[in-house]
């Protein structure tokens, strides 16, 4: 339902807000009240997305630097959400992984569950933040470079599991990481995460050549 | 809209423009009367377009300056500045070699117009931008590569 | 047990960190080249076509009440356009709230001309085939502040309050991806793909939140304002959608603009 | 009726720098909207005159960007001269606008 703010309702809203402000005077409280009033659900992005979960609440409260005990507790809770593939395989196809890493769409207003508005599978948007393969120079720098990921760390199963888990839920390692929890929020499927692990870990992947 | 009146007016404009350009001796009658060159604009390769325009014999030169980005921020709008340093330049033609229809257009200069043009074009993929200059009855050419990057965050 | 092992392994990997993050340099040659050609294009900016249209719309009697916007008070008195954009968002006593330029224009279209918010908010952003009137009008209004210093008023208590509220909105992490505005715009020297991400918490970079808007966007060849820019940020943040011209957006714009206080607004821009 | 052009002509010495902005979709015939292809629609020819004499003429394709921008220079111009620009598109629509050459700074 779209909330319409006509001049009249705006005025009413302002009055209500003024009343609110008297009771709850912190900027955060005002911000939350305003956003609650001024946002509307659009497609798959419901109003529930404005509510913080435990991780978001702690990161907001501690300005992304929670005390060590809080961080440890959160990381433990997040690690408990990790689901590894039931077939035991962690390496998919690095070529598909490259496509998932290149694409950034999905999870917003006109997209569908697991699919973008164009009918493609969701992207991971990995290149938005990370250097990955050697041929893509238009990579972002918000996250560390993942070039030579396997080559530098070895190709063992423990590292494969680490890569899988990190993509599935980065908050299991760093409570206030800026990286989305792609598996946890069901943005990427198990097979897609396997393909991304292959992109990082397959010795034949351009990432490691 | 007064359809007939409009089309008559347009007709007058077209004839008037052509007549004045031809009488001024600035455009060869052949080029002026050829109007919009369907064959050249419909050609799928730069060389076919150049043949259709009769400029395929253009010789290489360093006397044409093409100012365009090495890497275009957005292929939908690529700014290009072209200056010809060849005396008696009368026209500049532009081709984006890798576009599905490479021929972008021809710019004619007369009555004091300097052999310079700024234009903004769509470039589908990284491609040479080829320029052909008509001067003193001959044709000269040069090219500059423009790279087109992939899009941004794509959210 | 296995999880514990894995986690400690991860810690070891992180600590060893044999890679160094590829930081975007301020003298990134690609970004410098983009800036250079954008500056060339701004000398003849298609945005001016929308400024011309916006001026016409401002001066023409329109809407159910058949009045022009020449009595619209943008904060400097009824009808004063010159310099008004550079001094917004600001507090308006008639609505007892802070409004940004486009919110104020929409307010004038509703109160003076009799347009309905519902109609204006239905399709508030430009498409290949249509540029909404408030977009053209905002473009016209903004262009009349080109070359002026940004001076959003921060003297009224509600203006200070809007700043603090906007700041809290800026840092609020939520949504499917756990993003806040600060995820992309709270750190120095980052870029997404090839696009530099200015740090809006710093005065000298905050100007880049406002600079170049309203802007002609090369993608699609359409005119967009800050209302669109913020709407699209929230979309990419995977939030629900903010209401057009809402107080939330005015508060956020107050925070961003006041951080850029005193810097020169150069007028209409060209955007990727 | 097509939207007006914006023409700016400034003279430096005796050279007029002319910049023309045109409001036109320049549809390539490849873009889809609502599942349907938007038909080819683009400016085909442009003529510019200085005090009635043709100085600049162009035949162009759909590869010119949406809302086209052109700049050219004319020697022998002075403040107060008239610059007239006309475009005509493949659907037969046309638009003519005029401006006065201004003195440079």
């Amino acid at each position: 339902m779209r909330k319409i703010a006509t001049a009249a309702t705006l005025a009413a809203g302002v009055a209500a807000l003024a009343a609110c402000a008297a009771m709850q005077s912190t900027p955060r409280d005002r911000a939350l009240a305003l956003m609650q009033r001024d946002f509307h659900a659009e497609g798959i992005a419901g109003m529930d997305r404005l509510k913080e979960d435990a991780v978001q609440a702690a990161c907001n409260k501690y300005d992304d630097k929670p005390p060590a005990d809080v961080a440890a507790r959160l990381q433990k809770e997040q690690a408990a959400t990790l689901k590894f593939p039931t077939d035991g395989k962690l390496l998919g196809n690095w070529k598909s992984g490259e496509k998932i890493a290149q694409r950034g769409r999905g999870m917003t207003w006109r997209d569908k569950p697991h699919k973008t508005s164009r009918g493609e599978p969701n992207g991971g948007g990995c290149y938005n933040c990370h250097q990955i393969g050697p041929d893509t120079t238009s990579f972002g720098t918000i996250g560390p470079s993942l070039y030579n990921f396997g080559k530098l760390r070895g190709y063992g199963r423990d590292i494969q599991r680490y890569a899988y888990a990190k993509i599935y839920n980065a908050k299991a390692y760093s409570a206030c990481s800026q990286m989305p929890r792609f598996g946890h929020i069901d943005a990427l499927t198990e097979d897609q995460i396997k393909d991304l692990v292959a992109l990082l870990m397959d010795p034949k992947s351009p990432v490691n050549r | 809209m007064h359809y007939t009146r409009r089309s008559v007016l347009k007709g007058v404009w077209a004839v008037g423009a052509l007549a004045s350009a031809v009488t001024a001796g600035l455009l060869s009658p052949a080029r002026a009367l050829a109007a919009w060159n369907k064959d050249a604009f419909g050609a799928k390769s730069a060389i076919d377009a150049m043949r259709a325009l009769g400029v395929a014999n253009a010789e290489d030169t360093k006397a044409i300056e093409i100012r365009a980005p090495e890497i275009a921020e957005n292929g939908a709008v690529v700014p290009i500045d072209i200056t010809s340093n060849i005396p008696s330049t009368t026209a500049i033609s532009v081709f984006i070699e890798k576009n599905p229809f490479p021929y972008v257009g021809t710019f004619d200069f007369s009555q004091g117009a300097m052999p310079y043009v700024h234009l903004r074009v769509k470039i589908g993929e990284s491609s040479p931008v080829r320029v052909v200059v008509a001067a003193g009855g001959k044709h000269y050419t040069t090219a500059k590569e423009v790279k087109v990057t992939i899009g941004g965050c794509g959210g | 047990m296995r999880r514990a092992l894995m986690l400690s392994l991860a810690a070891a990997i992180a600590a060893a960190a044999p890679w160094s993050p590829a930081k975007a340099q301020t003298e990134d040659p690609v970004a410098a080249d983009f800036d250079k050609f954008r500056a060339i294009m701004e000398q003849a900016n298609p945005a001016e076509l929308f400024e011309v249209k916006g001026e016409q719309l401002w001066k023409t009697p329109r809407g159910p009440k058949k009045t022009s916007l020449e009595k619209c008070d943008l904060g400097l008195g009824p009808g004063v356009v010159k310099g008004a954009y550079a001094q917004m968002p600001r507090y308006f006593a008639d609505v007892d709230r802070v409004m940004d330029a486009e919110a104020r224009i929409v307010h004038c279209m509703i109160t003076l001309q009799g347009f309905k918010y519902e109609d204006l908010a239905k399709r508030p952003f430009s498409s290949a085939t249509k540029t909404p009137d408030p977009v053209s009008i905002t473009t016209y209004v903004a262009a009349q502040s080109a070359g002026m210093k940004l001076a959003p008023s921060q003297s009224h208590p509600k203006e200070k309050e809007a700043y603090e509220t906007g700041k809290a909105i800026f840092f609020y992490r939520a949504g499917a991806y756990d993003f806040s505005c600060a995820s992309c715009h709270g750190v120095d020297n980052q870029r997404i793909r090839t696009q530099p991400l200015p740090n809006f918490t710093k005065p000298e970079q905050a100007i880049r939140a406002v600079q170049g808007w309203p802007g002609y966007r090369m993608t699609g060849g359409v005119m967009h304002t800050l209302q669109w820019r913020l709407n699209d940020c929230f979309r990419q943040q995977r939030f629900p959608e903010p209401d057009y011209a809402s107080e939330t957006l005015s508060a956020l714009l107050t925070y961003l603009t006041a951080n850029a206080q005193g810097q020169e607004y150069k007028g209409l821009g060209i955007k990727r | 009726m097509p939207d007006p052009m914006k023409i700016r002509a400034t003279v430096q010495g005796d050279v007029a720098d002319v910049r023309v902005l045109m409001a036109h979709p320049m549809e390539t015939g490849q873009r889809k909207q609502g599942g349907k292809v938007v038909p080819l629609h683009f400016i085909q020819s442009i003529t510019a005159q200085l005090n009635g004499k043709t100085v600049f003429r162009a035949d162009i394709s759909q590869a010119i960007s949406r809302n086209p921008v052109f700049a050219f220079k004319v020697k022998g111009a002075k403040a107060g001269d008239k610059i007239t620009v006309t475009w005509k598109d493949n659907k037969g629509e046309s638009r003519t606008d005029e401006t006065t050459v201004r003195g440079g700074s």
Side-chain angles (χ1 to χ4, degrees):
Chain A
M1 245 314 261
R2 197 182 175 110
K3 296 184 305 300
I4 302 299
T6 59
T9 56
L10 257 181
V14 167
L17 190 78
C20 282
M23 288 183 294
Q24 355 164 300
S25 53
T26 72
R28 177 186 148 92
D29 289 338
R30 284 199 310 272
L32 292 186
L34 261 194
M35 290 170 87
Q36 200 58 41
R37 190 196 70 186
D38 290 348
F39 277 74
H40 57 269
E42 190 65 38
I44 60 169
M47 285 297 282
D48 56 312
R49 290 197 184 181
L50 278 187
K51 293 205 188 83
E52 307 156 300
D53 77 345
V55 159
Q56 293 167 344
C59 299
N60 284 332
K61 184 173 175 188
Y62 296 111
D63 201 9
D64 284 347
K65 292 178 278 289
D69 58 324
V70 175
R73 178 173 51 78
L74 288 169
Q75 283 160 209
K76 205 173 149 199
E77 282 168 18
Q78 294 295 306
T81 71
L82 293 171
K83 283 195 199 79
F84 288 95
T86 42
D87 65 0
K89 293 201 181 95
L90 293 166
L91 278 197
N93 177 330
W94 69 261
K95 284 182 188 157
S96 311
E98 169 71 13
K99 284 187 194 133
I100 298 162
Q102 290 284 359
R103 283 201 292 253
R105 286 175 194 275
M107 300 297 285
T108 188
W109 308 335
R110 280 156 65 191
D111 300 316
K112 305 274 180 298
H114 295 123
K115 267 198 308 210
T116 71
S117 56
R118 300 172 174 187
E120 298 164 339
N122 284 345
C126 312
Y127 279 101
N128 286 347
C129 299
H130 297 281
Q131 178 179 31
I132 310 176
D135 299 329
T136 297
T137 51
S138 58
F139 55 83
T141 60
I142 298 167
S145 170
L146 304 175
Y147 181 58
N148 281 349
F149 187 92
K151 203 176 187 174
L152 289 168
R153 293 172 185 75
Y155 299 104
R157 190 169 166 81
D158 44 356
I159 309 275
Q160 289 178 12
R161 277 180 72 87
Y162 165 66
Y164 189 98
K166 183 94 189 187
I167 299 166
Y168 190 96
N169 189 342
K171 272 74 174 180
Y173 299 98
S174 168
C176 295
S177 161
Q178 292 297 336
M179 182 164 156
R181 295 169 275 179
F182 290 104
H184 180 63
I185 58 160
D186 208 16
L188 296 179
T189 64
E190 182 180 298
D191 284 341
Q192 285 184 301
I193 300 178
K194 284 180 180 179
D195 290 341
L196 288 172
V197 173
L199 176 66
L200 298 178
M201 291 293 293
D202 191 324
K204 293 191 291 290
S205 161
V207 168
N208 297 313
R209 275 190 282 117
Chain B
M1 270 293 140
H2 308 284
Y3 180 74
T4 29
R5 190 167 158 264
R6 261 169 66 88
S7 50
V8 167
L9 280 178
K10 268 187 313 213
V12 168
W13 168 75
V15 171
L18 283 177
S20 62
V22 174
T23 44
L26 302 158
L27 304 171
S28 66
R31 158 123 176 86
L33 293 171
W36 197 79
N37 191 324
K38 235 180 169 159
D39 290 342
F41 282 111
K44 300 258 166 76
S45 72
I47 188 67
D48 284 350
M50 287 167 70
R51 281 195 194 104
L53 290 165
V55 302
N57 59 345
E59 55 184 77
D60 287 336
T61 180
K62 289 200 171 115
I64 303 168
E65 287 169 43
I66 306 174
R67 190 180 180 209
E70 301 277 329
I71 301 175
E73 185 175 14
N74 191 323
V77 190
V78 182
I80 305 177
D81 270 9
I82 303 164
T83 305
S84 168
N85 295 320
I86 303 166
S88 318
T89 293
T90 53
I92 289 175
S93 298
V94 183
F95 307 82
I96 310 300
E97 295 193 0
K98 298 271 182 69
N99 271 7
F101 300 102
Y103 179 39
V104 173
T106 296
F107 304 89
D108 295 310
F109 311 96
S110 50
Q111 308 256 31
M114 297 166 82
Y116 157 85
V117 66
H118 169 89
L119 64 155
R120 296 175 194 178
V121 300
K122 298 167 192 150
I123 302 186
E125 58 180 296
S126 299
S127 168
V129 173
R130 178 159 297 283
V131 171
V132 175
V133 160
K138 289 179 76 178
H139 299 105
Y140 305 88
T141 186
T142 191
K144 180 184 162 63
E145 177 82 13
V146 171
K147 286 201 188 77
V148 177
T149 62
I150 355 168
C153 28
Chain C
M1 169 61 196
R2 194 160 47 180
R3 184 171 294 134
L5 189 82
M6 197 177 70
L7 290 178
S8 61
L9 178 75
I13 291 171
W19 70 90
S20 60
K23 282 282 174 216
Q25 300 304 310
T26 29
E27 306 100 69
D28 181 334
V30 174
D33 209 43
F34 287 175
D35 286 349
K36 187 178 95 187
F37 281 94
R38 232 190 269 185
I40 289 172
M41 287 197 277
E42 277 171 0
Q43 291 168 11
N45 186 347
E48 294 169 46
L49 294 165
F50 301 92
E51 178 193 342
V52 171
K53 212 171 170 180
E55 180 173 10
Q56 237 169 26
L57 289 168
W58 178 268
K59 292 176 175 167
T60 309
R62 297 169 68 246
K65 296 190 187 167
K66 296 205 170 24
T67 29
S68 79
L69 288 171
E70 286 165 302
K71 291 244 166 69
C72 178
D73 185 352
L74 299 172
L76 303 179
V80 180
V81 177
K82 197 164 180 64
Y85 187 86
Q87 297 184 39
M88 283 195 270
R90 69 186 305 144
Y91 174 76
F92 289 92
D94 56 354
V95 287
D96 191 35
R97 66 164 263 209
V98 168
M99 285 180 150
D100 60 280
E102 191 160 349
R104 186 63 183 174
I105 287 163
V106 164
H107 170 80
C108 285
M109 289 176 75
I110 293 166
T111 53
L112 297 177
Q113 298 185 307
F115 287 105
K116 288 205 172 74
Y117 173 82
E118 290 84 340
D119 297 333
L120 299 174
K122 211 173 277 167
R123 285 221 162 76
F125 307 123
S126 302
S127 70
T129 44
K130 191 163 168 39
T131 306
D133 294 341
V135 170
S136 298
I137 297 167
T138 306
T139 302
Y140 160 64
V141 168
Q144 313 317 308
S145 284
M148 296 185 185
K149 290 214 158 74
L150 288 174
S153 167
Q154 277 287 295
S155 53
H156 193 279
K158 288 252 164 136
E159 290 166 340
K160 289 180 189 141
E161 185 182 285
Y163 178 89
E164 292 301 329
T165 308
K167 184 177 179 182
I169 295 168
F170 184 84
F171 283 102
Y172 186 66
R173 288 183 79 173
Y177 281 5
D178 312 326
F179 288 163
S180 68
C181 304
S183 299
C184 283
H185 294 291
V187 181
D188 286 344
N189 295 323
Q190 285 187 342
R191 54 171 223 239
I192 188 162
R193 285 281 186 170
T194 53
Q195 291 288 104
L197 294 167
N199 180 354
F200 295 152
T201 66
K202 296 227 179 125
E204 66 281 8
Q205 292 181 57
I207 180 69
R208 294 175 65 188
V210 184
Q211 201 69 280
W213 297 104
Y216 180 76
R217 201 156 188 256
M218 293 187 261
T219 303
V222 288
M223 194 67 211
H224 283 311
T225 63
L226 279 167
Q227 284 286 325
W228 175 85
R229 178 58 273 191
L230 294 189
N231 178 279
D232 203 56
C233 275
F234 282 117
R235 184 181 66 82
Q236 299 204 42
Q237 250 172 271
R238 272 72 182 177
F239 272 39
E241 187 175 27
D243 291 344
Y244 174 61
S246 61
E247 200 170 343
T248 290
L249 299 181
S250 290
L252 189 49
L253 284 172
T254 301
Y255 173 68
L256 295 169
T257 316
N259 280 350
Q261 190 82 251
Q263 309 223 34
E264 187 195 341
Y265 171 67
K266 292 185 179 146
L268 310 178
I270 284 198
K271 297 285 182 179
R272 183 191 165 86
Chain D
M1 171 93 163
D3 283 332
M5 281 177 246
K6 180 151 184 193
I7 311 170
R8 205 167 22 211
T10 26
V11 72
Q12 293 273 11
D14 71 336
V15 177
D17 179 14
V18 185
R19 290 171 195 182
V20 190
L21 300 160
M22 303 169 181
H24 202 284
M26 299 300 284
E27 292 290 352
T28 58
Q30 321 250 317
R31 196 175 65 85
K32 275 190 186 165
Q33 191 164 298
K36 284 203 306 207
V37 173
V38 182
L40 198 59
H41 184 204
F42 65 104
I43 293 174
Q44 283 189 311
S45 55
I46 300 160
T47 304
Q49 298 182 319
L50 175 72
N51 298 331
K53 298 176 305 185
T54 297
V55 288
F56 177 86
R57 221 196 76 81
D59 279 350
I60 57 169
S61 80
Q62 65 273 24
I64 294 292
S65 305
R66 187 178 161 86
N67 294 321
V69 178
F70 294 99
F72 56 91
K73 291 173 179 164
V74 190
K75 218 171 153 54
K78 57 186 185 309
D81 283 354
K82 284 246 168 336
I83 294 273
T84 313
V85 180
T86 299
W87 61 250
K88 202 175 133 197
D89 72 18
N90 67 322
K91 290 188 178 171
E93 276 198 301
S94 70
R95 168 97 211 175
T96 299
D97 291 277
E98 194 177 80
T99 197
T100 305
V101 177
R102 288 180 309 183
S105 46

